[in-house]
Amino acid sequence: MTTVWTLQQRRDPDPDYSNEEVRAGLAERLLDNVPELIAMDAADGVVEACYRVGFNAFDCATLRLLAKRTGEFPLSIERREATATTRPEYTVRLGTASDALRTSRTENPDFWEDEALVEEAARRAPREWARIEAEVQREVRRIERAHRRARADV
């Protein structure tokens, strides 16, 4: 299942990232204690809770909390720049852990460059993660063999 969100950024394009871990924890507590957020769709509640503690709609903390609470991971994030009359707009495709793990680093850097997201996806999709680890190990062995051959030729 893929979910697509298109949102205009409501906060400062360069927000204050101080106390990010504390605010992420506060957002999680809000999800457990605020009836209005509990009653919302899970993903909507996560985005709203993160907004309430000062994060933009799809900051890293929001993506991590979405993954943890809903099992949805970023598959792609596109940003349209602001114009004179509009704010920056984001289109975010979310999918399963397996879907995210099948994306490439170049097409989905927001996922692959966030260690917490990758770890959560690996936990949720262990078979897909094992396949990725096996591919990496095969590539490492291939490079080592090529390196040994190159050294032997010298």
Side-chain angles (χ1 to χ4, degrees):
M1 176 183 91
T2 300
T3 305
V4 178
W5 289 56
T6 299
L7 298 166
Q8 283 192 344
Q9 183 169 294
R10 299 186 280 182
R11 293 207 184 276
D12 181 0
D14 190 25
D16 173 18
Y17 287 108
S18 63
N19 301 316
E20 189 172 284
E21 286 183 27
V22 171
R23 291 187 294 137
L26 179 58
E28 195 160 5
R29 284 192 302 279
L30 288 174
L31 288 167
D32 292 330
N33 295 299
V34 176
E36 175 186 347
L37 297 175
I38 294 169
M40 287 183 170
D41 169 76
D44 291 337
V46 167
V47 172
E48 180 61 26
C50 287
Y51 173 75
R52 289 183 183 188
V53 298
F55 293 114
N56 281 323
F58 290 102
D59 285 343
C60 292
T62 307
L63 293 173
R64 289 176 193 142
L65 194 52
L66 270 170
K68 183 177 179 182
R69 297 291 287 236
T70 70
E72 293 184 288
F73 294 80
L75 302 179
S76 68
I77 299 177
E78 298 173 26
R79 182 177 195 261
R80 272 201 333 231
E81 295 297 324
T83 65
T85 58
T86 65
R87 295 174 179 253
E89 187 174 275
Y90 291 86
T91 299
V92 180
R93 284 183 42 237
L94 299 170
T96 66
S98 293
D99 292 340
L101 289 168
R102 285 186 206 111
T103 62
S104 72
R105 288 184 187 274
T106 54
E107 70 186 2
N108 195 4
D110 296 290
F111 170 74
W112 285 105
E113 292 174 7
D114 190 321
E115 189 175 322
L117 282 175
V118 174
E119 287 175 5
E120 181 67 17
R123 187 183 71 73
R124 287 179 178 260
R127 286 184 180 158
E128 191 66 30
W129 183 247
R131 187 189 62 75
I132 290 167
E133 286 182 318
E135 280 180 31
V136 168
Q137 288 304 315
R138 280 192 297 275
E139 186 65 13
V140 165
R141 287 190 299 273
R142 186 192 65 75
I143 290 169
E144 287 173 343
R145 281 192 305 273
H147 182 69
R148 280 194 301 271
R149 279 188 225 120
R151 291 178 81 203
D153 292 342
V154 173

